[in-house]
Every structure is written in C-alpha cells, then in structure tokens.
C-alpha cells in the first residue's frame, strides 16, 4: 500500500487539465522563436499517449527499486525471526541436556527433524543415541535409534563441515552402527572414525570429549584380541593399530583441558596405567573415578553403594571394584 501511494502521484488519472511545463516554443514548431510560454492542458492531453508511455517508462525503475526494498526488508525480518527461533530451541535443548531430561529433549528436537541447521541436527543425533542407551529401550528400538542418530549426524556434517560437534557425533554414531554390521565393517569404519575425531580436535582443541574419544580409539586398538588382529591383517593391508602410551596421552590431555569433566576418563586413566603395569598411578585414578559425583547413569555405575545397612561398608560396583582388587593383589594385570 505504501508503494502504491508513492507511485500514485506520478500517474495522470482522468482527463483533467495539467499545468504544463515551461518549454521553448521551438519545440512546438515555431521556428526562430526562442521565447518560452506555458503549455495549456489541452496541448499536453493531445499527446497523452506519448506522455503516459514516457512517464511509465521513467517510473518503472523507481517502482522496481521500491519493490526490491520492500521485499528485502521482509526477507530480512523473516530471516532474523528464524535465527532467533533456532537459538531459542538450542537454549531449551541445552538446558534439558544439562538437566538429564533425555526423553523431553528427544521429544523437543524431533519436532524439528526436517531442519537444515547443523547445530540442531547434531543435538538430535546425540538425543537419539541417548534414548537408545536407556535401559527401558528394547533391542529393536535401540537399533532403529542408532541408525536414526547416524542419519541426523550425517546431515549435520553436510550442512556445516566446520562444526567440530558434527564431526564428533558423526564418528560416534558410525562406531555405534558398527556393532550391527560385523567385524569387517567395524574395522573399515575405524579409519573414518579416527579421521573425524582428529578433525573435531583440530576445529576445537578445547573440547575434552573429542580428545577423550580419540583416547578410547587408541585404547581399543591397543587391546584388540589376537584373533581380531589376524582378521584385520587378512582384510586390510595396513589395519588400524595403536598403543596404550598413545591412549594415555589423549586421556591426560583431556584431563588437562577440562579437569574431572568425565568419570569414564578417570576410569580409563586407571585402566591404562594398569595395562602399563603402573599400579600406584592406576590406584590414584581409579579412586578418583570411584569418588566422582554421580550425574548420569554411567556415573552411577562407578559410584559406591551400600547394602541398605547404614553401618555396613560400601559395596563398590564393577568395573572399578574389580580393577581396584587387581591393583591391590599381586596378580600381573
């Protein structure tokens, strides 16, 4: 409406008399006369068709520019509202994640599963995986959720290859899928998993979780059973390999970036020192894992519980108890 109002005053509506412009008489055909006179409305209206065409052609660029401004402003407002909406959803999602509200988080994010926002998609991959890990999830549903998580992580990576979290969760989800696809696929995926963990660390060297996961990768291949090594050598010319020393380096690096950020990192520090026959340091890290405050189901598995008798000694749940027993015994772990 504003655009129409601006153009209205430029167009000649009706056949009324216009106060003509001041023009040289020579233009009207009077040769030699250089004085000027004001044209009457009837003279202007005599060439009304030509006048309208010229006026229309001169108004079109203005009309186009005004339309461009109107549509640009509308698009900007829409884009701003969309960004604000995504940021609001991400804030809600992060709050639910920190609160341990796994099911509510999943319900929130699945409403936006068709989104093209990488930050939203990798969070949805994480939420799908967390639902799959719940004790009440059936094996069939767990498998569906694992593959669903991989699809979300893949889309997140496609939308933003510079997102360290997209790389991290894509690698995690590929690792999960390997449990359903056999040893050959699992070993083949190991190269991809390592590549994405390393990329995540490169993009964000301060993310302790990515560093910790790279340590798990090293630990897993350092302790690979002999028969799996033999299969890997048959299937691949250069199968993935690592050492406990490499794993230990990553676990310590993660702890330096964010001390006490994860109970499992403390546990694996203890386990790795056991593999390296350093029982003193193994006991130190295992005790830290045992005393770690329980925030998640995983943390609770490492925390001491009692048998119900207040006077009784705490009973430590595996795996920490068995490892501490190993440290205290004379066995060669």
């Amino acid at each position: 409406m504003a655009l129409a109002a601006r153009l209205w005053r430029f167009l000649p509506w009706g056949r009324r008399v216009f106060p003509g412009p001041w023009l040289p008489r020579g233009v009207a055909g009077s040769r030699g006369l250089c004085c000027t006179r004001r044209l009457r409305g009837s003279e202007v209206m005599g060439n009304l068709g030509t006048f309208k065409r010229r006026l229309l052609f001169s108004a079109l660029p203005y009309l186009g520019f005004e339309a461009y401004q109107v549509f640009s402003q509308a698009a900007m407002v829409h884009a701003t509202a969309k960004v604000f909406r995504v940021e609001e959803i991400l804030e809600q999602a992060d709050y639910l994640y920190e609160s341990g509200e796994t099911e509510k988080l999943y319900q929130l994010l699945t409403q936006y599963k068709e989104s093209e926002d990488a930050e939203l998609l990798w969070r949805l991959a994480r939420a799908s995986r967390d639902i799959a890990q719940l004790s009440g999830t059936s094996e069939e549903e767990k498998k569906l959720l694992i593959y669903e998580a991989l699809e979300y992580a893949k889309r997140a990576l496609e939308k933003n290859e510079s997102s360290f979290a997209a790389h991290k969760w894509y690698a995690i989800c590929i690792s999960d899928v390997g449990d359903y696809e056999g040893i050959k696929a699992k070993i083949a995926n190991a190269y991809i998993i390592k590549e994405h963990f390393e990329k995540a660390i490169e993009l964000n060297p301060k993310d302790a979780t990515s560093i910790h996961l790279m340590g798990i990768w090293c630990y897993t291949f350092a302790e690979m059973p002999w028969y799996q090594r033999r299969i890997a050598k048959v299937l691949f010319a250069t199968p993935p390999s690592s050492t406990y020393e490499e794993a230990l380096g990553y676990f310590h690096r993660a702890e330096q970036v964010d001390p006490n950020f994860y109970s499992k990192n403390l546990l694996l520090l203890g386990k790795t020192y056991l593999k390296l026959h350093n029982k003193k340091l193994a006991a130190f890290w295992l005790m830290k894992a045992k005393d770690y405050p329980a925030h998640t189901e995983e943390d609770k598995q490492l925390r001491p519980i009692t048998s119900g008798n207040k006077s009784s000694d705490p009973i430590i749940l595996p795996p920490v108890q068995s490892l501490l027993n190993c440290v205290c015994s004379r066995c060669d772990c």
Side-chain angles (χ1 to χ4, degrees):
M1 292 300 294
L3 182 59
R6 292 181 190 179
L7 188 60
W8 181 275
R9 63 179 181 269
F10 289 97
L11 299 178
W13 304 105
R15 297 184 61 83
R16 62 186 177 85
V17 177
F18 287 88
W22 287 92
L23 297 173
R25 283 191 180 184
V27 173
S30 300
R31 186 177 300 175
L33 298 177
C34 58
C35 60
T36 60
R37 67 183 178 84
R38 191 176 182 87
L39 292 176
R40 291 189 300 275
S42 59
E43 291 179 282
V44 175
M45 297 305 289
N47 296 318
L48 184 58
T50 303
F51 177 73
K52 282 185 176 181
R53 283 195 297 273
R54 290 178 180 175
L55 183 59
L56 180 60
F57 289 143
S58 64
L60 282 176
Y62 175 81
L63 176 63
F65 176 72
E66 289 292 320
Y68 168 78
Q69 282 191 318
V70 170
F71 289 123
S72 295
Q73 290 171 0
M76 188 178 297
V77 169
H78 177 73
T80 303
K82 186 176 180 180
V83 170
F84 178 76
R85 176 62 176 157
V86 171
E87 290 180 351
E88 183 182 355
I89 294 166
L90 295 180
E91 285 181 7
Q92 292 178 30
D94 291 343
Y95 174 78
L96 290 172
Y97 181 75
E98 293 296 330
S99 303
E101 298 285 356
T102 305
E103 294 179 348
K104 289 182 180 179
L105 173 61
Y106 180 73
Q107 291 169 3
L108 169 69
L109 293 177
T110 48
Q111 298 178 62
Y112 310 99
K113 61 183 179 181
E114 302 303 326
S115 171
E116 296 186 359
D117 187 270
E119 292 297 304
L120 197 151
L121 287 169
W122 73 252
R123 284 172 170 82
L124 182 52
R126 180 182 64 183
S128 300
R129 184 179 184 271
D130 287 347
I131 288 288
Q133 304 299 322
L134 293 178
S135 57
T137 305
S138 67
E139 284 300 317
E140 183 179 352
E141 189 179 3
K142 179 179 179 180
K143 183 178 179 180
L144 291 173
L145 286 164
I146 290 296
Y147 278 92
E148 181 183 294
L150 176 60
E151 183 60 29
Y152 293 138
K154 182 179 178 181
R155 284 173 52 200
L157 195 58
E158 289 171 352
K159 298 301 178 184
N160 185 5
E161 292 186 355
S162 297
S163 169
F164 82 93
H167 282 279
K168 175 172 68 177
W169 285 100
Y170 181 63
I172 292 170
C173 293
I174 289 178
S175 178
D176 291 340
V177 165
D179 294 337
Y180 298 99
E181 298 188 349
I183 184 67
K184 182 177 179 180
K186 199 161 190 173
I187 294 173
N189 287 340
Y191 297 99
I192 302 172
I193 292 167
K194 182 182 181 183
E195 176 187 341
H196 285 282
F197 281 151
E198 289 176 336
K199 186 64 177 179
I201 295 170
E202 177 188 330
L203 291 168
N204 185 2
K206 296 299 183 182
D207 181 51
T209 307
S210 297
I211 301 169
H212 164 80
L213 291 168
M214 193 63 234
I216 290 181
W217 189 95
C218 295
Y219 187 94
T220 300
F221 285 98
E223 71 165 1
M224 180 184 283
W226 66 268
Y227 66 90
Q228 289 187 3
R229 292 181 188 277
R230 183 168 294 183
I231 294 172
K233 287 181 180 179
V234 171
L235 296 174
F236 304 95
T238 54
S241 62
S242 189
T243 64
Y244 290 119
E245 286 80 4
E246 284 183 285
L248 188 67
Y250 280 110
F251 294 142
H252 270 300
R253 181 177 166 186
E255 206 61 30
Q256 290 169 359
V257 168
D258 190 1
N260 295 316
F261 76 102
Y262 187 25
S263 59
K264 194 170 183 180
N265 197 66
L266 303 175
L267 173 64
L268 284 168
L269 276 164
K271 289 181 70 174
T272 308
Y273 272 117
L274 276 178
K275 295 291 186 181
L276 295 172
H277 310 292
N278 189 330
K279 294 185 177 181
K280 183 177 180 179
L281 285 175
F284 172 78
W285 289 107
L286 290 172
M287 288 300 296
K288 285 179 71 72
K290 178 179 75 71
D291 296 334
Y292 191 88
H295 298 297
T296 66
E297 286 296 323
E298 197 170 29
D299 295 335
K300 292 174 184 177
Q301 295 175 9
L302 306 178
R303 199 177 183 193
I305 62 170
T306 65
S307 59
N309 185 348
K310 293 183 179 179
S311 62
S312 62
D313 293 331
I315 303 172
I316 313 301
L317 289 172
V320 175
Q321 180 61 63
S322 59
L323 290 170
L324 284 170
N325 288 341
C326 187
V327 171
C328 296
S329 69
R330 293 183 178 181
C331 67
D332 186 15
C333 301

